[in-house]
Amino acid sequence: NPSPAPASTRKTPMLRIAVPNKGSLAETSAAMLTEAGYTGRRDPKDLHVIDPANEVEFFYLRPRDIATYVGSGALDVGITGRDLLLDARMPAREVESLGFADSTFRFAGPPGRFTELADLEGMRVATAYPGLVDSFLDERGIAVDLVPLDGAVESAVRLGVADAVADVVSTGTTLKQAGLEIFGPVLLESEAVLIGGPREVEGTETLLRRLRGVMVARRYVLIDYDLPADLVDRAVEIAPGIESPTISPLRDPSWVAVRVMSPRKGVNQVMDALYGIGARAILVTEIHAARL
């Protein structure tokens, strides 16, 4: 991994952005930045890319290291997981959730052995996120012997190195296959986040505005349709839009053209409902970019 130069040696005011170089966060992070208008790396081996047109530099790093670089001030902002941010225990802060890479952290142990969090007192708990788990248990006054692992946490109990585990859970199938059952509260609901250092840096607001635009474009579509003018109120109840629909007159004064932003999810049901009240020529268009 490249070592970013100290802020005092920088020759340009470019915003320095840490991007995951591999793993589940990498592909979607890169796609979001491309959709936001930035020029990223073309070769997956590149660890440093300069985008002079947008006055940014990208540093491609291990997701687990990004909070360290940003928290130390070596880099200005970065994309990583909320779990990795909290696990790093660095003075970096969450700026914005990015709406992908959702995950849930839970405790698990042999069936019937644990029923509540207090049962972990004095036990060995294996996890790939010792900082996160330690903070969670410390806040609740529960002392355990943490067993840091870099992967395959679900095997720790079976192999005798831990009494319980704290790990990412999606369906719970992997834990069940390892002979474990989930217990206790949720440690964390995690997702990909944009993080910043201790101080605000010029250029962060532009990046944030662009990423928000990408998230809007991914969640919404434009619906255009023609409608008898006396049915507008009913149509607005079906598809109210972000603020309100745009309504334009047609040559036939008894009809209007309507344009509205609507959530992508369920758009076919919205189209059906609009058609049912009398709307015609209903078209749905992808949103390439947005600024709200």
Side-chain angles (χ1 to χ4, degrees):
N1 293 336
S3 299
S8 60
T9 66
R10 298 182 191 175
K11 297 180 180 180
T12 65
M14 288 188 172
L15 184 71
R16 295 153 69 87
I17 305 171
V19 185
N21 68 344
K22 59 182 179 181
S24 60
L25 293 170
E27 185 175 344
T28 306
S29 298
M32 283 193 75
L33 290 166
T34 298
E35 290 173 36
Y38 295 101
T39 301
R41 63 180 180 178
R42 293 185 174 87
D43 187 335
K45 295 180 181 179
D46 290 339
L47 299 179
H48 176 226
V49 173
I50 297 176
D51 180 359
N54 290 295
E55 298 184 332
V56 300
E57 289 183 80
F58 294 110
F59 290 83
Y60 293 85
L61 307 167
R62 291 178 64 240
R64 184 169 286 277
D65 296 335
I66 286 175
T68 299
Y69 281 110
V70 175
S72 68
L75 296 180
D76 302 319
V77 293
I79 296 175
T80 188
R82 182 179 294 127
D83 50 351
L84 296 170
L85 168 63
L86 297 177
D87 192 58
R89 293 181 170 182
M90 291 293 293
R93 55 195 167 79
E94 181 174 328
V95 175
E96 185 89 355
S97 57
L98 298 178
F100 69 94
D102 296 348
S103 61
T104 302
F105 284 75
R106 300 294 301 269
F107 290 102
R113 183 170 181 182
F114 303 98
T115 57
E116 58 185 26
L117 203 60
D119 295 338
L120 286 174
E121 181 70 34
M123 297 291 177
R124 298 169 300 165
V125 178
T127 182
Y129 298 82
L132 171 63
V133 176
D134 184 55
S135 295
F136 182 87
L137 293 175
D138 187 59
E139 289 174 1
R140 290 155 181 79
I142 298 173
V144 302
D145 180 13
L146 285 176
V147 181
L149 296 174
D150 195 31
V153 171
E154 66 276 1
S155 300
V157 175
R158 178 184 298 167
L159 296 176
V161 299
D163 303 298
V165 302
D167 201 13
V168 177
V169 175
S170 51
T171 63
T173 301
T174 302
L175 292 174
K176 289 180 182 178
Q177 291 175 343
L180 304 175
E181 67 175 5
I182 296 169
F183 69 92
V186 173
L187 282 84
L188 179 69
E189 297 284 355
S190 183
E191 64 178 306
V193 294
L194 178 70
I195 65 172
R199 294 184 300 275
E200 290 284 348
V201 178
E202 183 179 353
T204 301
E205 188 57 37
T206 298
L207 170 66
L208 180 57
R209 187 164 56 247
R210 289 191 183 192
L211 291 176
R212 285 172 175 166
V214 171
M215 289 188 283
V216 169
R218 289 182 170 192
R219 290 198 301 262
Y220 290 87
V221 293
L222 285 176
I223 304 178
D224 290 276
Y225 57 92
D226 296 341
L227 183 79
D230 59 356
L231 296 177
V232 167
D233 288 343
R234 291 179 63 186
V236 171
E237 290 179 3
I238 295 170
I242 298 294
E243 295 172 349
S244 65
T246 299
I247 301 174
S248 306
L250 294 177
R251 182 167 183 174
D252 183 340
S254 66
W255 281 71
V256 294
V258 182
R259 166 167 281 193
V260 63
M261 282 182 64
S262 185
R264 182 185 300 269
K265 185 177 181 180
V267 69
N268 282 289
Q269 288 85 345
V270 171
M271 294 173 70
D272 291 340
L274 289 171
Y275 191 90
I277 68 168
R280 295 296 182 265
I282 306 171
L283 304 175
V284 174
T285 307
E286 299 276 347
I287 299 173
H288 177 68
R291 300 287 188 275
L292 298 184

